[in-house]
Amino acid sequence: MPAAFVPLNLAVGAARLSRFPAHLLWIAIGVAAMVLFVVFPICNLVVPATSALHISDYTVTLLGKIMCYAIVALAMDLIWGYTGILSLGHGLFFALGGYAMGMYLMRSIGREGVYQSDLPDFMVFLDWKAYPWYWSFTQHFWYCALLVVLIPGLLAFVFGYFAFRSRIKGVYFSIITQALTYAAMLFFFRNDTGFGGNNGFTDFKRILGFSITAPTTRMALFAITGAALLGFLLLGRAIVHSKLGRVLTAIRDAETRVMFSGYNPLYFKLFVWTLSAVICGIAGALYVPQVGIINPSEMSPANSIEIAIWTAVGGRGTLIGPVLGAAIVNLGKSWFTQALPEYWLYVLGLLFILVTLFLPRGVAGLWLKRRT
């Protein structure tokens, strides 16, 4: 078969996979909801710790963290798998959402810090006398929830508008997004920015008045994250199966032809780019209270590259594939960083090479191959 037809076949295959039969889709969602909202809470909160069916708090936290990563991978799939925009800076939007939520969590500590001050410990240590102006109203959950959406969304909108209007794409766009997240990381590493410097935000005590370390709070955060993941999967499916989704895939495959057909790709790309950033911000906000820390290392270019690897391993343009990829890679990372930490980066690089050579459609492509 001519090589020129390979991209078309991959696109058709991905489209078939994303058009999962509706009745099977709802069955799968129902089973997932039953596991997330019934089985896990019972096994964690009700089943005794001595039982083989008990799910530990560590497992709940680990799976909650992986679901946050899966949401980020899904956001990456919308722009890369369906629109052809490879971002190497999505870790920035994830971290910004986490910092917005972290500001509320730091304010909720009150006088329970090491220095027993109204200010966070890092501000007391740096001899700050009052909160900077941009910390105003962050003691209110609703305000920080707005910041979780608005900060990543506005940054993505402004950056995307100028980048897409200038028709920057391909590797040039990827490099610029990587430079953006690297610059932000250097900025947040500074102690005089009011964001905790190298240590970031940690030592959280409560959220919405509930102890953040209580098993019921952890399980509630886990369930909310699971609901968010299922909701974003349904949202992504609705988008890619709509007329908007067909335009996005057309932009991915032949942007020039789309322009000649009378469409302006700028606004379509800007919409999905901004939406993807907002989804990442929400994932970051869910991640921070479960993991208990947010610092500038979340903005490192390496983290953003890992997001692309999750998507590639799972299968671009399939929605469910990146979710599987995030789970596979991060479960492997959790094991390797405990058993063989010095070999993890080698394994990650080898995994990416093997998937590129032998599984161009990702793990989800195995299911596609069985169906065809």
Side-chain angles (χ1 to χ4, degrees):
M1 182 176 291
F5 288 95
V6 173
L8 178 60
N9 287 340
L10 289 176
V12 171
R16 288 178 181 172
L17 188 59
S18 63
R19 292 193 184 97
F20 200 67
H23 66 286
L24 293 180
L25 173 68
W26 288 111
I27 291 175
I29 290 176
V31 172
M34 180 66 69
V35 172
L36 291 172
F37 308 138
V38 178
V39 175
F40 269 86
I42 291 176
C43 291
N44 175 248
L45 300 175
V46 179
V47 175
T50 55
S51 172
L53 297 178
H54 176 75
I55 297 177
S56 66
D57 291 343
Y58 169 79
T59 302
V60 169
T61 300
L62 175 63
L63 295 180
K65 179 176 71 172
I66 290 176
M67 286 194 294
C68 292
Y69 290 152
I71 294 173
V72 177
L74 177 62
M76 172 66 82
D77 194 35
L78 286 176
I79 61 165
W80 186 26
Y82 287 96
T83 318
I85 303 171
L86 174 57
S87 167
L88 296 181
H90 255 43
L92 171 59
F93 305 124
F94 177 80
L96 288 176
Y99 266 98
M101 178 56 65
M103 294 169 78
Y104 165 76
L105 296 174
M106 292 300 290
R107 295 291 293 266
S108 297
I109 294 175
R111 288 181 168 270
E112 296 180 30
V114 174
Y115 297 102
Q116 297 182 349
S117 170
D118 290 327
L119 297 177
D121 288 339
F122 73 87
M123 289 188 180
V124 178
F125 179 78
L126 295 173
D127 200 28
W128 289 56
K129 302 303 182 184
Y131 283 103
W133 64 268
Y134 44 85
W135 277 75
S136 301
F137 306 110
T138 52
Q139 70 272 25
H140 302 294
F141 178 83
W142 63 268
Y143 179 77
C144 290
L146 284 177
L147 292 182
V148 166
V149 174
L150 292 178
I151 299 300
L154 287 174
L155 177 61
F157 181 86
V158 173
F159 174 83
Y161 177 79
F162 288 105
F164 298 141
R165 191 184 66 169
S166 302
R167 297 184 183 178
I168 299 174
K169 54 186 176 181
V171 66
Y172 303 103
F173 183 86
S174 301
I175 291 174
I176 292 175
T177 56
Q178 191 173 57
L180 177 67
T181 189
Y182 186 70
M185 182 186 69
L186 294 180
F187 175 79
F188 275 79
F189 265 124
R190 295 170 57 93
N191 286 327
D192 58 357
T193 58
F195 293 107
N198 181 62
N199 295 322
F201 299 155
T202 189
D203 196 28
F204 309 130
K205 303 298 184 184
R206 62 183 65 84
I207 180 171
L208 291 174
F210 298 97
S211 172
I212 205 165
T213 58
T216 51
T217 305
R218 289 187 179 276
M219 181 50 63
L221 291 169
F222 174 88
I224 292 170
T225 305
L229 176 58
L230 293 178
F232 285 130
L233 273 171
L234 291 175
L235 175 63
R237 187 175 188 274
I239 290 175
V240 301
H241 289 168
S242 67
K243 293 181 179 179
L244 169 62
R246 288 194 286 272
V247 174
L248 294 177
T249 53
I251 291 173
R252 176 196 65 191
D253 297 333
E255 184 173 346
T256 303
R257 293 186 181 182
V258 172
M259 295 173 62
F260 285 142
S261 299
Y263 292 90
N264 187 349
L266 167 63
Y267 301 108
F268 293 96
K269 293 164 72 174
L270 188 58
F271 168 78
V272 72
W273 168 256
T274 305
L275 175 63
S276 179
V278 169
I279 292 174
C280 284
I282 294 173
L286 293 170
Y287 171 89
V288 170
Q290 295 183 82
V291 177
I293 188 172
I294 180 70
N295 58 45
S297 64
E298 296 294 341
M299 301 181 188
S300 69
N303 282 15
S304 294
I305 293 173
E306 273 199 42
I307 295 171
I309 292 177
W310 303 339
T311 308
V313 168
R316 288 189 294 145
T318 59
L319 291 181
I320 192 62
V323 174
L324 296 175
I328 292 170
V329 174
N330 283 287
L331 285 173
K333 181 178 181 179
S334 178
W335 184 85
F336 265 97
T337 51
Q338 293 182 22
L340 302 166
E342 64 274 17
Y343 294 109
W344 166 242
L345 291 179
Y346 297 103
V347 172
L348 182 63
L350 179 62
L351 176 64
F352 186 62
I353 293 172
L354 293 177
V355 167
T356 303
L357 292 176
F358 302 108
L359 288 175
R361 303 179 188 180
V363 174
L366 296 175
W367 168 256
L368 172 65
K369 192 173 182 179
R370 288 186 59 187
R371 292 184 64 195
T372 56

